Amino acid sequence: MVGRWLGRFVVPAIFAVIFVAPLWFMVVGSLRPAGSPPPRTLELWPADPTTAAYTRLPELVPLARYLANSALVVAMAVPLTVLVAALTGFGLRLLSGAARRRALLALLIVLLVPVTAVWATRFEVFRLFGAVDSYLPLLAPAALAVSPFLILLYAWSFGGIPDSQLQAARLEGAGWLTIFRRLALPQVKPATLAVAVLAFTFHWSNFIDPLLYLTSGDRYTWPLGLRFLLLLNPTDWPLLMAGSVIATAPCVLMFLLAQRVLLADDPLAALRSKGRR
């Protein structure tokens, strides 16, 4: 009984504290008075909390413009990432055994290639096409599903669909795109949410691509804005923490929203709630 209680409540609580603590201290640091150095001891709450750091952000950098640019990139890139990863993963599911193993091996090899190895080549390609200083290079990773890991996640999820369902749909005259849209995709909602959250986090926090390809200030995204804050006020700890809170909050909200949707769609959770009643 004690072991079950520990495994169900205590251990998850410990992991939750480990992951939430950095976020909490980031928020606390942003509420310190302007120009305050980092605290030397553990500080759960500042003595004189203030939101002055948040009000100073728009005075130093065009906060609204950078956030709007980041939101625009995310709004275009996340659906494209999910669509490409889902279609590719479903295509892997339809391959025969030998062909599927070769495709998975190729994806694993691509996954091992460091991103830094292709920075120079990608920049030269986009420069030749005249796409530098546009959002096209920032959307290009979405057209490749960002990472082979997202494709593998979908392939593993689609692998749980029995062959009998696919064959029955084919006998009914449904095409593969119809099967993908109406049969396969509704059965892998957790994978879709996971891919959407990971894609959102990647595109929202992407720093290297905007730094490499964007030259016009009115196209900069918020990760570049954080870099400018560091250059303008490298010793203003509350200001940097406020910028980090604004950069982190959308990713945290996206994760909490996805978790809420997953719990709402969990049939086991519904059965447990009925049992309590």
Side-chain angles (χ1 to χ4, degrees):
M1 184 66 180
V2 176
R4 182 181 178 182
W5 186 80
L6 290 174
R8 188 172 181 179
F9 298 103
V10 177
V11 175
I14 293 175
F15 279 100
V17 169
I18 292 174
F19 283 101
V20 171
L23 301 177
W24 174 256
F25 290 118
M26 183 171 61
V27 174
V28 170
S30 69
L31 297 177
R32 290 170 60 83
S36 301
R40 296 183 178 180
T41 59
L42 185 64
E43 185 180 57
L44 297 178
W45 191 253
D48 299 314
T50 176
T51 58
Y54 293 93
T55 58
R56 290 181 59 209
L57 281 176
E59 301 173 0
L60 297 174
V61 294
L63 175 64
R65 166 70 67 176
Y66 291 169
L67 290 177
N69 292 340
S70 292
L72 177 63
V73 172
V74 166
M76 293 185 293
V78 171
L80 181 59
T81 302
V82 173
L83 178 62
V84 173
L87 285 173
T88 309
F90 185 66
L92 289 176
R93 170 65 178 83
L94 299 180
L95 292 176
S96 61
R100 186 186 307 171
R101 286 192 294 270
R102 288 194 293 268
L104 292 176
L105 179 61
L107 286 175
L108 291 175
I109 293 175
V110 174
L111 187 61
L112 295 177
V113 176
V115 180
T116 54
V118 297
W119 280 349
T121 305
R122 285 175 55 192
F123 182 85
E124 187 62 21
V125 170
F126 287 120
R127 186 187 67 81
L128 291 175
F129 281 95
V132 175
D133 198 26
S134 70
Y135 290 140
L136 182 60
L138 277 63
L139 299 176
L144 300 175
V146 173
S147 170
F149 173 75
L150 302 184
I151 298 176
L152 293 173
L153 181 60
Y154 259 121
W156 177 79
S157 299
F158 284 128
I161 301 177
D163 291 335
S164 58
Q165 291 187 13
L166 301 177
Q167 294 170 1
R170 288 293 290 171
L171 291 175
E172 291 292 332
W176 287 120
L177 287 179
T178 302
I179 294 174
F180 166 77
R181 180 172 56 89
R182 303 185 62 179
L183 174 64
L185 201 57
Q187 298 188 52
V188 294
K189 286 184 179 179
T192 300
L193 287 174
V195 170
V197 171
L198 293 175
F200 180 93
T201 303
F202 171 83
H203 292 291
W204 180 265
S205 61
N206 190 4
F207 171 74
I208 294 298
D209 288 340
L211 181 65
L212 289 176
Y213 300 110
L214 299 182
T215 57
S216 300
D218 59 345
R219 292 190 176 96
Y220 288 164
T221 56
W222 183 236
L224 289 181
L226 276 180
R227 179 61 181 173
F228 294 151
L229 282 179
L230 181 61
L231 295 176
L232 291 172
N233 292 276
T235 59
D236 196 332
W237 178 259
L239 187 67
L240 297 176
M241 291 297 99
S244 300
V245 169
I246 293 177
T248 307
C251 297
V252 174
L253 292 177
M254 183 70 175
F255 171 78
L256 295 176
L257 178 62
Q259 185 186 40
R260 185 180 183 88
V261 173
L262 283 175
L263 291 177
D265 292 339
D266 185 6
L268 295 179
L271 290 175
R272 286 194 295 266
S273 62
K274 284 184 178 181
R276 294 192 189 101
R277 293 174 187 172

